[in-house]
Amino acid sequence: MCPVLPSVAVNVPWPTRPGVISFPSIFLLLPHSLQPQTHNTSQIRNFVLVHSITRRIIVQLRQKRVDTNGYCGRCCIIRVGLRQSFHHVPSVIWGSEWCLDANGSLSIEKKVKVVFVLGGPGSGKGTQCANIVEHFGYTHLSAGDLLRAEIKSGSENGTMIQNMITEGKIVPSEVTIKLLQRAMLESENDKFLIDGFPRNEENRAAFERVTKIVPEFVLFFDCAEEEMELRLLNRNQGRVDDNIETIRKRFKVFVESSLPVIEYYSSRGKVRKIDAGRSVEEVFEAVKSIFSSATVVA
Ligand SMILES: Nc1ncnc2c1ncn2[C@@H]1O[C@H](COP(=O)(O)OP(=O)(O)O)[C@@H](O)[C@H]1O
Ligand SMILES: Nc1ccn([C@@H]2O[C@H](COP(=O)(O)OP(=O)(O)O)[C@@H](O)[C@H]2O)c(=O)n1
């Protein structure tokens, strides 16, 4: 019999340490027979730790039949926090790293390496990211793709996101950052190309404040507007924003809001600028040399 999980409202706090996605609220899934008030944690052998209880996780738990050691029936979820009680916690569950935080509470920690991929609309970010994924083992997270998927999912923010994209405007950081964080946590990889983000100062500052992640470097695809316009008009992906009116708005937003972000990182020596007006192959040659030397340095 599969465990029956109670629904739990979880308030997941923002992470607090540099380069680490940390969720101090850890939940222990236990067979009902081991109630929190009565159990001796050293006896617990049959459990799953999860960072937050989402519908997706509940479905996964049910499918995985976590109750594998002969326990059956109801399960309960308790919040735990004592370091000494959990010395026998296995180190890896579902590909995430687990450890104790500075306060001695259990947390999921996932150290991640991030490269921001920036450039005007149509500069070739997505095209080159696909190549980088293939050659350098990164996971590609396109902020635009995540936002479009959110619209499709029927999310309560869907209409707002749809309107912003149609107008070429930038979606509030909170929404985009949550999508990026979720995607990073759900991935088993620890190296991410974040494409099309941060797109303005608010995106940049909020991401840094919330995740404490500092990018390894920023890949900047520099391309003339005329070339980008031609590429977008020929992109042919049925996007609502690839029409001349919205394209012009996006160019304006790029110059006014995104270029200052690139300048910010440039003043900190983080920007690797590439002439993106050349052929896909030539651009990728330049990209390769940047990633090859970044790998050597790391
Ligand atoms: N170097 C290039 N030369 C010509 N066309 C390109 C080049 N890079 C990308 N494209 C094409 O231009 C369009 C926009 O590229 P894309 O990678 O989607 O840009 P972005 O992600 O920056 O908006 C796509 O149709 C793509 O096939
Ligand atoms: N950080 C981001 C990235 C994209 N977006 C929205 O998504 C649209 C498409 O972004 P995209 O990165 O997929 O495509 P390009 O404009 O780079 O071609 C943008 O014009 C914004 O409306 C956003 O609001 N915030």
PDB file of all heavy atoms in Angstrom, residues 90-115:
ATOM      1  N   PRO A  90      21.402   9.257   5.235  1.00  0.00           N
ATOM      2  CA  PRO A  90      22.200   8.961   4.043  1.00  0.00           C
ATOM      3  C   PRO A  90      22.568  10.248   3.310  1.00  0.00           C
ATOM      4  O   PRO A  90      21.864  11.241   3.387  1.00  0.00           O
ATOM      5  CB  PRO A  90      21.261   8.112   3.184  1.00  0.00           C
ATOM      6  CG  PRO A  90      19.905   8.376   3.708  1.00  0.00           C
ATOM      7  CD  PRO A  90      20.036   8.760   5.136  1.00  0.00           C
ATOM      8  N   SER A  91      23.693  10.215   2.642  1.00  0.00           N
ATOM      9  CA  SER A  91      24.207  11.462   2.080  1.00  0.00           C
ATOM     10  C   SER A  91      23.487  11.882   0.796  1.00  0.00           C
ATOM     11  O   SER A  91      23.411  13.043   0.487  1.00  0.00           O
ATOM     12  CB  SER A  91      25.695  11.331   1.810  1.00  0.00           C
ATOM     13  OG  SER A  91      25.886  10.244   0.944  1.00  0.00           O
ATOM     14  N   VAL A  92      22.995  10.925   0.065  1.00  0.00           N
ATOM     15  CA  VAL A  92      22.383  11.318  -1.204  1.00  0.00           C
ATOM     16  C   VAL A  92      20.996  10.707  -1.343  1.00  0.00           C
ATOM     17  O   VAL A  92      20.813   9.516  -1.176  1.00  0.00           O
ATOM     18  CB  VAL A  92      23.233  10.840  -2.399  1.00  0.00           C
ATOM     19  CG1 VAL A  92      22.546  11.207  -3.713  1.00  0.00           C
ATOM     20  CG2 VAL A  92      24.609  11.471  -2.342  1.00  0.00           C
ATOM     21  N   ILE A  93      20.062  11.554  -1.578  1.00  0.00           N
ATOM     22  CA  ILE A  93      18.720  11.059  -1.870  1.00  0.00           C
ATOM     23  C   ILE A  93      18.242  11.809  -3.098  1.00  0.00           C
ATOM     24  O   ILE A  93      18.233  13.040  -3.114  1.00  0.00           O
ATOM     25  CB  ILE A  93      17.759  11.332  -0.708  1.00  0.00           C
ATOM     26  CG1 ILE A  93      18.246  10.603   0.541  1.00  0.00           C
ATOM     27  CG2 ILE A  93      16.351  10.889  -1.069  1.00  0.00           C
ATOM     28  CD1 ILE A  93      17.455  10.914   1.771  1.00  0.00           C
ATOM     29  N   TRP A  94      17.881  11.118  -4.105  1.00  0.00           N
ATOM     30  CA  TRP A  94      17.404  11.727  -5.338  1.00  0.00           C
ATOM     31  C   TRP A  94      18.401  12.716  -5.918  1.00  0.00           C
ATOM     32  O   TRP A  94      18.054  13.775  -6.403  1.00  0.00           O
ATOM     33  CB  TRP A  94      16.079  12.449  -5.117  1.00  0.00           C
ATOM     34  CG  TRP A  94      14.979  11.531  -4.777  1.00  0.00           C
ATOM     35  CD1 TRP A  94      15.012  10.173  -4.797  1.00  0.00           C
ATOM     36  CD2 TRP A  94      13.678  11.884  -4.361  1.00  0.00           C
ATOM     37  NE1 TRP A  94      13.814   9.662  -4.410  1.00  0.00           N
ATOM     38  CE2 TRP A  94      12.981  10.691  -4.143  1.00  0.00           C
ATOM     39  CE3 TRP A  94      13.045  13.092  -4.152  1.00  0.00           C
ATOM     40  CZ2 TRP A  94      11.675  10.683  -3.726  1.00  0.00           C
ATOM     41  CZ3 TRP A  94      11.746  13.076  -3.739  1.00  0.00           C
ATOM     42  CH2 TRP A  94      11.061  11.882  -3.524  1.00  0.00           C
ATOM     43  N   GLY A  95      19.659  12.450  -5.783  1.00  0.00           N
ATOM     44  CA  GLY A  95      20.667  13.270  -6.440  1.00  0.00           C
ATOM     45  C   GLY A  95      20.943  14.603  -5.775  1.00  0.00           C
ATOM     46  O   GLY A  95      21.757  15.360  -6.245  1.00  0.00           O
ATOM     47  N   SER A  96      20.287  14.905  -4.686  1.00  0.00           N
ATOM     48  CA  SER A  96      20.586  16.178  -4.016  1.00  0.00           C
ATOM     49  C   SER A  96      21.593  15.933  -2.902  1.00  0.00           C
ATOM     50  O   SER A  96      21.683  14.844  -2.365  1.00  0.00           O
ATOM     51  CB  SER A  96      19.328  16.768  -3.396  1.00  0.00           C
ATOM     52  OG  SER A  96      18.425  17.082  -4.400  1.00  0.00           O
ATOM     53  N   GLU A  97      22.328  16.966  -2.570  1.00  0.00           N
ATOM     54  CA  GLU A  97      23.260  16.825  -1.462  1.00  0.00           C
ATOM     55  C   GLU A  97      22.559  17.249  -0.185  1.00  0.00           C
ATOM     56  O   GLU A  97      21.821  18.208  -0.164  1.00  0.00           O
ATOM     57  CB  GLU A  97      24.465  17.740  -1.672  1.00  0.00           C
ATOM     58  CG  GLU A  97      25.342  17.268  -2.786  1.00  0.00           C
ATOM     59  CD  GLU A  97      26.465  18.232  -3.036  1.00  0.00           C
ATOM     60  OE1 GLU A  97      26.841  18.964  -2.114  1.00  0.00           O
ATOM     61  OE2 GLU A  97      26.935  18.243  -4.169  1.00  0.00           O
ATOM     62  N   TRP A  98      22.850  16.520   0.847  1.00  0.00           N
ATOM     63  CA  TRP A  98      22.206  16.809   2.117  1.00  0.00           C
ATOM     64  C   TRP A  98      23.268  17.059   3.160  1.00  0.00           C
ATOM     65  O   TRP A  98      24.238  16.353   3.241  1.00  0.00           O
ATOM     66  CB  TRP A  98      21.364  15.617   2.561  1.00  0.00           C
ATOM     67  CG  TRP A  98      20.306  15.282   1.579  1.00  0.00           C
ATOM     68  CD1 TRP A  98      20.460  14.551   0.446  1.00  0.00           C
ATOM     69  CD2 TRP A  98      18.964  15.700   1.621  1.00  0.00           C
ATOM     70  NE1 TRP A  98      19.279  14.486  -0.216  1.00  0.00           N
ATOM     71  CE2 TRP A  98      18.340  15.175   0.485  1.00  0.00           C
ATOM     72  CE3 TRP A  98      18.215  16.463   2.519  1.00  0.00           C
ATOM     73  CZ2 TRP A  98      17.005  15.395   0.214  1.00  0.00           C
ATOM     74  CZ3 TRP A  98      16.881  16.659   2.252  1.00  0.00           C
ATOM     75  CH2 TRP A  98      16.295  16.135   1.105  1.00  0.00           C
ATOM     76  N   CYS A  99      23.094  18.069   3.953  1.00  0.00           N
ATOM     77  CA  CYS A  99      24.046  18.266   5.032  1.00  0.00           C
ATOM     78  C   CYS A  99      23.428  19.127   6.126  1.00  0.00           C
ATOM     79  O   CYS A  99      22.267  19.497   6.065  1.00  0.00           O
ATOM     80  CB  CYS A  99      25.321  18.888   4.511  1.00  0.00           C
ATOM     81  SG  CYS A  99      25.055  20.233   3.420  1.00  0.00           S
ATOM     82  N   LEU A 100      24.242  19.429   7.102  1.00  0.00           N
ATOM     83  CA  LEU A 100      23.758  20.199   8.238  1.00  0.00           C
ATOM     84  C   LEU A 100      24.163  21.647   8.051  1.00  0.00           C
ATOM     85  O   LEU A 100      25.286  21.938   7.648  1.00  0.00           O
ATOM     86  CB  LEU A 100      24.387  19.650   9.514  1.00  0.00           C
ATOM     87  CG  LEU A 100      24.068  18.179   9.757  1.00  0.00           C
ATOM     88  CD1 LEU A 100      25.002  17.608  10.809  1.00  0.00           C
ATOM     89  CD2 LEU A 100      22.629  18.027  10.190  1.00  0.00           C
ATOM     90  N   ASP A 101      23.273  22.540   8.311  1.00  0.00           N
ATOM     91  CA  ASP A 101      23.633  23.935   8.126  1.00  0.00           C
ATOM     92  C   ASP A 101      24.301  24.489   9.387  1.00  0.00           C
ATOM     93  O   ASP A 101      24.509  23.775  10.361  1.00  0.00           O
ATOM     94  CB  ASP A 101      22.428  24.770   7.670  1.00  0.00           C
ATOM     95  CG  ASP A 101      21.403  24.938   8.773  1.00  0.00           C
ATOM     96  OD1 ASP A 101      21.738  24.690   9.937  1.00  0.00           O
ATOM     97  OD2 ASP A 101      20.276  25.321   8.434  1.00  0.00           O
ATOM     98  N   ALA A 102      24.625  25.767   9.358  1.00  0.00           N
ATOM     99  CA  ALA A 102      25.400  26.364  10.438  1.00  0.00           C
ATOM    100  C   ALA A 102      24.695  26.243  11.792  1.00  0.00           C
ATOM    101  O   ALA A 102      25.338  26.208  12.832  1.00  0.00           O
ATOM    102  CB  ALA A 102      25.653  27.829  10.116  1.00  0.00           C
ATOM    103  N   ASN A 103      23.383  26.158  11.782  1.00  0.00           N
ATOM    104  CA  ASN A 103      22.639  26.053  13.042  1.00  0.00           C
ATOM    105  C   ASN A 103      22.449  24.618  13.488  1.00  0.00           C
ATOM    106  O   ASN A 103      21.766  24.353  14.469  1.00  0.00           O
ATOM    107  CB  ASN A 103      21.251  26.692  12.887  1.00  0.00           C
ATOM    108  CG  ASN A 103      21.362  28.122  12.449  1.00  0.00           C
ATOM    109  OD1 ASN A 103      22.242  28.831  12.914  1.00  0.00           O
ATOM    110  ND2 ASN A 103      20.504  28.522  11.532  1.00  0.00           N
ATOM    111  N   GLY A 104      23.007  23.692  12.719  1.00  0.00           N
ATOM    112  CA  GLY A 104      22.856  22.302  13.106  1.00  0.00           C
ATOM    113  C   GLY A 104      21.589  21.684  12.576  1.00  0.00           C
ATOM    114  O   GLY A 104      21.278  20.545  12.888  1.00  0.00           O
ATOM    115  N   SER A 105      20.837  22.429  11.775  1.00  0.00           N
ATOM    116  CA  SER A 105      19.650  21.778  11.223  1.00  0.00           C
ATOM    117  C   SER A 105      19.974  21.192   9.862  1.00  0.00           C
ATOM    118  O   SER A 105      20.912  21.606   9.185  1.00  0.00           O
ATOM    119  CB  SER A 105      18.462  22.732  11.138  1.00  0.00           C
ATOM    120  OG  SER A 105      18.874  24.031  11.077  1.00  0.00           O
ATOM    121  N   LEU A 106      19.199  20.235   9.523  1.00  0.00           N
ATOM    122  CA  LEU A 106      19.418  19.582   8.248  1.00  0.00           C
ATOM    123  C   LEU A 106      18.979  20.492   7.110  1.00  0.00           C
ATOM    124  O   LEU A 106      17.980  21.181   7.202  1.00  0.00           O
ATOM    125  CB  LEU A 106      18.576  18.319   8.186  1.00  0.00           C
ATOM    126  CG  LEU A 106      19.126  17.132   8.964  1.00  0.00           C
ATOM    127  CD1 LEU A 106      18.014  16.140   9.200  1.00  0.00           C
ATOM    128  CD2 LEU A 106      20.251  16.499   8.204  1.00  0.00           C
ATOM    129  N   SER A 107      19.732  20.498   6.060  1.00  0.00           N
ATOM    130  CA  SER A 107      19.257  21.253   4.901  1.00  0.00           C
ATOM    131  C   SER A 107      19.724  20.599   3.621  1.00  0.00           C
ATOM    132  O   SER A 107      20.681  19.848   3.607  1.00  0.00           O
ATOM    133  CB  SER A 107      19.746  22.693   4.965  1.00  0.00           C
ATOM    134  OG  SER A 107      21.117  22.735   5.143  1.00  0.00           O
ATOM    135  N   ILE A 108      19.016  20.906   2.577  1.00  0.00           N
ATOM    136  CA  ILE A 108      19.483  20.471   1.268  1.00  0.00           C
ATOM    137  C   ILE A 108      20.415  21.553   0.812  1.00  0.00           C
ATOM    138  O   ILE A 108      20.075  22.713   0.862  1.00  0.00           O
ATOM    139  CB  ILE A 108      18.371  20.492   0.208  1.00  0.00           C
ATOM    140  CG1 ILE A 108      17.265  19.567   0.543  1.00  0.00           C
ATOM    141  CG2 ILE A 108      18.926  20.179  -1.151  1.00  0.00           C
ATOM    142  CD1 ILE A 108      16.191  19.621  -0.523  1.00  0.00           C
ATOM    143  N   GLU A 109      21.538  21.184   0.343  1.00  0.00           N
ATOM    144  CA  GLU A 109      22.403  22.201  -0.213  1.00  0.00           C
ATOM    145  C   GLU A 109      22.821  21.746  -1.577  1.00  0.00           C
ATOM    146  O   GLU A 109      23.133  20.585  -1.802  1.00  0.00           O
ATOM    147  CB  GLU A 109      23.627  22.416   0.655  1.00  0.00           C
ATOM    148  CG  GLU A 109      23.249  22.954   2.003  1.00  0.00           C
ATOM    149  CD  GLU A 109      24.357  23.735   2.635  1.00  0.00           C
ATOM    150  OE1 GLU A 109      25.512  23.441   2.306  1.00  0.00           O
ATOM    151  OE2 GLU A 109      24.060  24.630   3.436  1.00  0.00           O
ATOM    152  N   LYS A 110      22.801  22.671  -2.455  1.00  0.00           N
ATOM    153  CA  LYS A 110      23.220  22.333  -3.789  1.00  0.00           C
ATOM    154  C   LYS A 110      24.117  23.460  -4.261  1.00  0.00           C
ATOM    155  O   LYS A 110      23.660  24.581  -4.458  1.00  0.00           O
ATOM    156  CB  LYS A 110      21.974  22.201  -4.666  1.00  0.00           C
ATOM    157  CG  LYS A 110      22.305  21.716  -6.025  1.00  0.00           C
ATOM    158  CD  LYS A 110      21.086  21.237  -6.746  1.00  0.00           C
ATOM    159  CE  LYS A 110      21.524  20.834  -8.134  1.00  0.00           C
ATOM    160  NZ  LYS A 110      20.455  20.335  -8.940  1.00  0.00           N
ATOM    161  N   LYS A 111      25.371  23.170  -4.358  1.00  0.00           N
ATOM    162  CA  LYS A 111      26.309  24.190  -4.827  1.00  0.00           C
ATOM    163  C   LYS A 111      26.222  24.217  -6.341  1.00  0.00           C
ATOM    164  O   LYS A 111      26.316  23.178  -6.984  1.00  0.00           O
ATOM    165  CB  LYS A 111      27.729  23.848  -4.392  1.00  0.00           C
ATOM    166  CG  LYS A 111      27.934  23.978  -2.907  1.00  0.00           C
ATOM    167  CD  LYS A 111      29.414  23.987  -2.563  1.00  0.00           C
ATOM    168  CE  LYS A 111      29.637  24.382  -1.118  1.00  0.00           C
ATOM    169  NZ  LYS A 111      29.098  23.430  -0.154  1.00  0.00           N
ATOM    170  N   VAL A 112      26.025  25.401  -6.872  1.00  0.00           N
ATOM    171  CA  VAL A 112      25.852  25.463  -8.310  1.00  0.00           C
ATOM    172  C   VAL A 112      26.816  26.461  -8.940  1.00  0.00           C
ATOM    173  O   VAL A 112      27.252  27.414  -8.311  1.00  0.00           O
ATOM    174  CB  VAL A 112      24.399  25.850  -8.696  1.00  0.00           C
ATOM    175  CG1 VAL A 112      23.436  24.762  -8.334  1.00  0.00           C
ATOM    176  CG2 VAL A 112      23.996  27.167  -8.066  1.00  0.00           C
ATOM    177  N   LYS A 113      27.129  26.160 -10.191  1.00  0.00           N
ATOM    178  CA  LYS A 113      27.963  27.035 -10.998  1.00  0.00           C
ATOM    179  C   LYS A 113      27.044  27.664 -12.035  1.00  0.00           C
ATOM    180  O   LYS A 113      26.314  26.942 -12.729  1.00  0.00           O
ATOM    181  CB  LYS A 113      28.980  26.165 -11.738  1.00  0.00           C
ATOM    182  CG  LYS A 113      30.387  26.621 -11.666  1.00  0.00           C
ATOM    183  CD  LYS A 113      31.212  25.667 -12.517  1.00  0.00           C
ATOM    184  CE  LYS A 113      32.664  25.850 -12.209  1.00  0.00           C
ATOM    185  NZ  LYS A 113      33.493  25.022 -13.059  1.00  0.00           N
ATOM    186  N   VAL A 114      27.078  28.975 -12.135  1.00  0.00           N
ATOM    187  CA  VAL A 114      26.150  29.637 -13.057  1.00  0.00           C
ATOM    188  C   VAL A 114      26.913  30.532 -14.035  1.00  0.00           C
ATOM    189  O   VAL A 114      27.819  31.270 -13.648  1.00  0.00           O
ATOM    190  CB  VAL A 114      25.132  30.482 -12.250  1.00  0.00           C
ATOM    191  CG1 VAL A 114      24.456  31.515 -13.128  1.00  0.00           C
ATOM    192  CG2 VAL A 114      24.081  29.579 -11.603  1.00  0.00           C
ATOM    193  N   VAL A 115      26.532  30.420 -15.300  1.00  0.00           N
ATOM    194  CA  VAL A 115      27.015  31.364 -16.317  1.00  0.00           C
ATOM    195  C   VAL A 115      25.792  32.072 -16.870  1.00  0.00           C
ATOM    196  O   VAL A 115      24.838  31.420 -17.305  1.00  0.00           O
ATOM    197  CB  VAL A 115      27.764  30.624 -17.452  1.00  0.00           C
ATOM    198  CG1 VAL A 115      28.111  31.588 -18.585  1.00  0.00           C
ATOM    199  CG2 VAL A 115      29.025  29.947 -16.922  1.00  0.00           C
TER     200      VAL A 115
END
